[in-house]
Amino acid sequence: VVLDTDKYVVEGRTKIKILPTDFISNDDVAIGTDQKAVWENDGSNHGVRPANAAVELFAVIDVPLGYTATRVKINGSNTANDVIVYTFDLDDGTITSEISNTGLDVGDDLDLATTHVGADDKALLIEIVTTAITDVIYGGYVTIQQS
């Protein structure tokens, strides 16, 4: 097999899939209220949604060593929901400042303002700022290329 040097392949892919089940909720609502992400099945679409309008959804995505994340796209029902991407330190839980382009929303497929190089101790942290319990996230992609 001859690989085109303009293409980037990780197990035959140039994208890391983000499944709806990769998202978990934060705890920005009062204890005892619905501070969780729930599976939504409206009869035709499936995904994860917040059980409370104040909940935000988070996913941690590992970029393979030797590859760089350059773009992020999240798909969902509300394209006005903000998507914020950070670098997450797996050793101490710290995050960097935002590495996504300001104004990245659900449905956008935009370059990151700062690329993320895969490392043993780092991952991407993707935050979805939801505004209603009807905001369903279907999943998404992280575009990668060889470093």
Side-chain angles (χ1 to χ4, degrees):
V1 173
V2 176
L3 294 177
D4 182 345
T5 57
D6 293 329
K7 305 289 183 199
Y8 306 100
V9 179
V10 176
E11 298 177 3
R13 299 180 188 195
T14 59
K15 297 182 187 277
I16 298 171
K17 292 179 188 176
I18 306 169
L19 304 177
T21 53
D22 290 334
F23 288 95
I24 60 172
S25 63
N26 64 349
D27 64 352
D28 284 357
V29 296
I31 301 297
T33 58
D34 289 328
Q35 54 187 36
K36 58 187 175 187
V38 295
W39 187 257
E40 175 66 27
N41 170 9
D42 69 5
S44 60
N45 295 318
H46 297 261
V48 67
R49 68 171 178 78
N52 182 301
V55 166
E56 296 165 343
L57 302 174
F58 291 87
V60 176
I61 306 300
D62 186 21
V63 175
L65 294 176
Y67 289 84
T68 299
T70 59
R71 300 170 76 91
V72 170
K73 179 179 183 181
I74 302 297
N75 296 311
S77 63
N78 185 349
T79 57
N81 290 147
D82 291 335
V83 177
I84 306 168
V85 182
Y86 307 93
T87 297
F88 181 69
D89 190 301
L90 299 171
D91 290 334
D92 62 13
T94 58
I95 61 172
T96 63
S97 57
E98 180 179 356
I99 66 169
S100 52
N101 278 304
T102 303
L104 177 63
D105 294 323
V106 166
D108 291 339
D109 186 11
L110 295 176
D111 290 336
L112 295 172
T114 304
T115 59
H116 169 82
V117 178
D120 286 336
D121 62 344
K122 305 281 188 290
L124 289 178
L125 176 66
I126 301 173
E127 174 185 6
I128 311 298
V129 181
T130 58
T131 56
I133 63 170
T134 55
D135 293 344
V136 181
I137 301 302
Y138 308 131
Y141 307 92
V142 175
T143 302
I144 57 174
Q145 64 185 31
Q146 282 184 320
S147 299

